[in-house]
Coordinates of all heavy atoms in Angstrom, one line a residue:
K87 N -25.6 15.6 3.2 CA -25.9 16.9 3.8 C -25.0 18.0 3.2 O -23.9 17.7 2.9 CB -25.7 17.0 5.3 CG -24.3 16.7 5.7 CD -24.1 17.1 7.2 CE -23.6 18.5 7.4 NZ -23.3 18.7 8.9
M88 N -25.5 19.1 3.1 CA -24.6 20.3 2.7 C -24.4 21.1 4.0 O -25.3 21.1 4.8 CB -25.2 21.1 1.6 CG -25.1 20.6 0.3 SD -23.4 20.4 -0.3 CE -23.2 22.1 -0.9
G89 N -23.4 21.7 4.1 CA -23.0 22.5 5.3 C -22.3 23.8 4.9 O -21.8 23.9 3.7
L90 N -22.4 24.7 5.8 CA -21.7 26.1 5.6 C -22.2 26.7 4.3 O -21.5 27.2 3.5 CB -20.2 25.9 5.6 CG -19.6 25.2 6.8 CD1 -18.2 25.1 6.9 CD2 -20.2 25.8 8.1
K95 N -23.5 30.8 9.2 CA -22.7 29.5 9.5 C -21.3 29.7 9.1 O -20.4 29.2 9.9 CB -23.3 28.4 8.8 CG -24.7 27.9 9.2 CD -24.7 27.1 10.5 CE -23.6 26.1 10.5 NZ -23.6 25.1 11.6
E131 N -29.6 23.0 14.4 CA -29.9 24.0 13.4 C -31.0 23.7 12.5 O -31.1 22.5 12.1 CB -28.7 24.3 12.6 CG -28.0 23.0 12.1 CD -26.6 23.2 11.4 OE1 -26.0 24.2 11.7 OE2 -26.2 22.4 10.6
P132 N -31.9 24.7 12.2 CA -33.1 24.3 11.3 C -32.6 24.2 9.8 O -31.8 25.0 9.3 CB -34.0 25.6 11.5 CG -33.1 26.6 12.0 CD -32.0 26.1 12.6
E133 N -33.2 23.2 9.1 CA -32.8 23.1 7.8 C -34.1 22.6 6.9 O -35.0 22.1 7.5 CB -31.7 22.0 7.5 CG -30.5 22.2 8.5 CD -29.3 21.7 7.9 OE1 -29.2 21.1 6.8 OE2 -28.2 21.7 8.7
E164 N -30.9 19.6 12.0 CA -29.8 18.8 12.1 C -29.1 19.1 13.4 O -29.1 20.1 14.1 CB -28.7 19.1 11.0 CG -27.6 18.2 11.1 CD -26.4 18.4 10.2 OE1 -26.2 19.4 9.6 OE2 -25.7 17.4 9.9
I165 N -28.5 17.9 14.0 CA -27.8 18.0 15.3 C -26.2 17.8 14.8 O -26.0 16.7 14.5 CB -28.2 17.0 16.3 CG1 -29.7 17.1 16.7 CG2 -27.3 17.0 17.5 CD1 -30.7 16.4 16.0
I166 N -25.5 18.8 14.9 CA -24.1 18.7 14.5 C -23.3 18.5 15.9 O -23.6 19.1 16.9 CB -23.5 19.8 13.7 CG1 -23.9 21.2 14.4 CG2 -24.0 19.8 12.3 CD1 -23.2 22.4 13.6
A185 N -18.2 16.6 8.1 CA -19.0 17.8 8.2 C -19.7 17.9 9.5 O -20.9 18.5 9.5 CB -19.8 18.1 7.0
L255 N -30.0 17.2 3.4 CA -30.2 18.3 4.3 C -29.4 19.5 3.6 O -28.3 19.3 3.2 CB -29.5 18.1 5.6 CG -30.2 16.9 6.5 CD1 -29.3 16.8 7.7 CD2 -31.6 17.2 6.8
T256 N -30.2 20.6 3.3 CA -29.6 21.6 2.4 C -28.7 22.7 3.2 O -28.0 23.5 2.5 CB -30.7 22.3 1.7 OG1 -31.6 22.8 2.6 CG2 -31.4 21.4 0.7
G257 N -28.7 22.5 4.5 CA -27.8 23.4 5.3 C -28.5 24.3 6.2 O -29.6 24.7 6.0
G258 N -27.8 24.6 7.3 CA -28.4 25.5 8.4 C -29.0 26.8 7.9 O -28.2 27.5 7.2
Ligands
MG24 MG1 -26.2 21.4 9.0

Side-chain angles (χ1 to χ4, degrees):
K87 65 166 270 188
M88 282 294 276
L90 310 182
K95 288 279 321 186
E131 52 191 19
E133 306 208 8
E164 185 181 24
I165 298 94
I166 51 173
L255 297 177
T256 51

